Amino acid sequence: MIKLLKVLHIVGLIMLLVGVGLYWQSDIGQQVSGILVIALLIGVGTLIMSPLPVALVIEWSKKQSPNLGSKE
């Protein structure tokens, strides 16, 4: 599951970078359709990226939970 989320995270990061690159490097952001494409790339990219950190925190907390009750 984590491997799939890592792949999706990388794909989302690429989409985010392409959207920001289009905004900075081209005149496509001056048209309504260009604005929609850029917003779609950035929005979907960040949406795809978001589950991985949550899954990593949940996985980390599951590994830490047996140690909560122990006294060292």
Side-chain angles (χ1 to χ4, degrees), residues 14-28:
I14 291 169
M15 289 176 70
L16 176 67
L17 292 175
V18 167
V20 171
L22 282 175
Y23 179 71
W24 282 345
Q25 300 296 327
S26 70
D27 293 332
I28 194 171

Side-chain angles (χ1 to χ4, degrees), residues 3-71:
K3 289 181 183 182
L4 174 66
L5 290 176
K6 285 182 183 180
V7 170
L8 288 176
H9 190 81
I10 291 171
V11 169
L13 184 62
I14 291 169
M15 289 176 70
L16 176 67
L17 292 175
V18 167
V20 171
L22 282 175
Y23 179 71
W24 282 345
Q25 300 296 327
S26 70
D27 293 332
I28 194 171
Q30 302 296 323
Q31 303 167 358
V32 174
S33 61
I35 293 171
L36 290 174
V37 168
I38 291 170
L40 180 76
L41 284 170
I42 293 173
V44 172
T46 54
L47 186 67
I48 290 174
M49 287 173 49
S50 61
L52 179 64
V54 174
L56 290 176
V57 167
I58 291 172
E59 184 178 295
W60 174 77
S61 67
K62 285 182 180 179
K63 288 180 183 177
Q64 298 297 318
S65 60
N67 297 331
L68 288 176
S70 65
K71 295 181 181 179

